[in-house]
Amino acid sequence: MGNSKENQIDSKAFTEECNTVLMAVSDALYAIGGKWKLMIIISMARGNKRFTEIQRQVSGISARVLSSELKELEMNGFIIKKVAVGYPITIEYELLPYSHTLEEVVGAMTKWGMQHRQKIKDETAVSASKKV
Amino acid sequence: MGNSKENQIDSKAFTEECNTVLMAVSDALYAIGGKWKLMIIISMARGNKRFTEIQRQVSGISARVLSSELKELEMNGFIIKKVAVGYPITIEYELLPYSHTLEEVVGAMTKWGMQHRQKIKDETAVSASKKV
DNA sequence: CGGCATCCAAATAGATACTG
DNA sequence: CAGTATCTATTTGGATGCCG
């Protein structure tokens, strides 16, 4: 055991596992990465369906960017655009089941984000008290 | 129950919960968002420590971008740069404990990314067979 | 309301060369 | 090896106006 050949094999397997993980995360980032996609899905999961509603909830997003993000989300099977005839016509966006497969990711990020915010807050408090 | 006042309260609480989640995810994206940060941390968690090693593992990243990402990761307390004197001096980057708080996020994204890749593959196969 | 078109500014990133 | 500097190309995004 522990000879150089075995180490080589272990190291190779390890590198491959690393590549698998990197590829998976890279795929995920390609589909849901960027500043807005997850936020839009979260907002919609909380009941926001109209363009303007979503824009109000996801603070900082412009109409142009929201428009293009919604298109991408639709193309990738996360949401669907529904146009209801009438006067005036109303347009609503709805989550498709595939969006719900993201629940674990959103949950993990929410949890981490809250801890991170708390950490930053604590650090700021400490550095402020040190300055006295 | 179900009168308009209660609905208003429920809706308000719901909106606030939504904002909490959005804020948390937004914080998380600010710290670990972008194309590269998670990938670099994953690579380092698998044992890559040297600049060139990391660059080789994280395919597509340029030296300039890797350099600036490492700086940001260091500033935010995820990694530390260690310079060992000697001939020649060797520079290594190491994960700090704070990086390990990301394990759940990385795990969730890896899992989702793998499922997503499989889904894309299946869809491609189906659309290819339809074309016959 | 739910966008699209256009123009323009800013941020980002690739290529290349160079350094200790 | 581990970057930095510079230049350029591309992407991104805000602002505004317009439309059905």
Side-chain angles (χ1 to χ4, degrees):
Chain A
M1 307 146 201
N3 65 39
S4 74
K5 185 160 183 199
E6 276 184 19
N7 283 342
Q8 246 179 283
I9 292 168
D10 289 355
S11 153
K12 196 181 160 198
F14 206 63
T15 302
E16 273 167 22
E17 190 267 352
C18 182
N19 279 327
T20 305
V21 173
L22 282 178
M23 220 188 273
V25 171
S26 173
D27 288 347
L29 288 174
Y30 188 79
I32 57 167
K35 249 169 137 175
W36 304 116
K37 293 205 177 58
L38 275 183
M39 315 256 291
I40 291 167
I41 289 175
I42 291 166
S43 164
M44 290 180 65
R46 266 71 188 178
N48 297 295
K49 294 165 179 295
R50 308 293 302 271
F51 190 94
T52 315
E53 267 177 3
I54 299 169
Q55 195 185 2
R56 203 180 316 120
Q57 184 89 62
V58 180
S59 65
I61 196 168
S62 71
R64 200 184 56 156
V65 172
L66 178 55
S67 173
S68 86
E69 296 284 286
L70 288 171
K71 258 176 208 155
E72 280 185 61
L73 288 172
E74 193 179 6
M75 282 197 326
N76 290 317
F78 291 108
I79 67 173
I80 190 172
K81 177 177 180 172
K82 294 203 170 175
V83 181
V85 293
Y87 302 97
I89 62 167
T90 59
I91 296 168
E92 292 193 345
Y93 295 89
E94 277 178 27
L95 291 185
L96 291 175
Y98 195 53
S99 285
H100 297 300
T101 64
L102 286 169
E103 268 162 26
E104 205 179 323
V105 171
V106 171
M109 289 198 54
T110 305
K111 195 172 144 191
W112 190 87
M114 287 171 70
Q115 285 169 5
H116 182 65
R117 164 172 286 253
Q118 188 61 43
K119 186 199 157 214
I120 301 293
K121 209 176 115 192
D122 292 348
E123 285 172 0
T124 311
V126 168
S127 83
S129 74
K130 275 187 187 163
K131 279 184 186 149
V132 176
Chain B
M1 310 153 194
N3 64 39
S4 76
K5 186 161 183 196
E6 277 182 19
N7 284 342
Q8 247 180 281
I9 292 170
D10 289 355
S11 154
K12 196 180 160 197
F14 206 62
T15 302
E16 274 168 22
E17 189 267 352
C18 181
N19 279 327
T20 305
V21 173
L22 282 177
M23 221 187 273
V25 172
S26 172
D27 288 347
L29 289 174
Y30 188 78
I32 56 166
K35 247 169 137 177
W36 304 116
K37 294 206 176 59
L38 275 184
M39 314 256 291
I40 291 167
I41 289 175
I42 290 166
S43 164
M44 291 181 64
R46 267 71 189 177
N48 296 295
K49 294 165 178 296
R50 308 293 300 273
F51 189 94
T52 315
E53 267 178 3
I54 299 169
Q55 196 185 2
R56 201 179 319 119
Q57 184 88 61
V58 180
S59 66
I61 196 168
S62 71
R64 200 183 57 152
V65 172
L66 177 56
S67 174
S68 87
E69 296 284 286
L70 288 171
K71 261 174 205 154
E72 279 185 62
L73 288 172
E74 193 179 7
M75 283 198 324
N76 290 317
F78 291 108
I79 67 174
I80 189 171
K81 176 179 181 170
K82 293 202 170 174
V83 181
V85 292
Y87 303 96
I89 62 168
T90 59
I91 296 167
E92 292 192 345
Y93 294 90
E94 278 178 25
L95 291 184
L96 291 175
Y98 196 52
S99 284
H100 297 300
T101 64
L102 286 169
E103 269 162 25
E104 203 179 323
V105 171
V106 171
M109 287 197 54
T110 305
K111 195 172 144 193
W112 190 86
M114 287 170 70
Q115 284 169 5
H116 182 65
R117 163 172 287 255
Q118 187 60 44
K119 185 199 158 215
I120 301 293
K121 211 178 114 191
D122 292 349
E123 285 172 358
T124 311
V126 169
S127 83
S129 74
K130 275 186 187 164
K131 277 182 189 150
V132 175

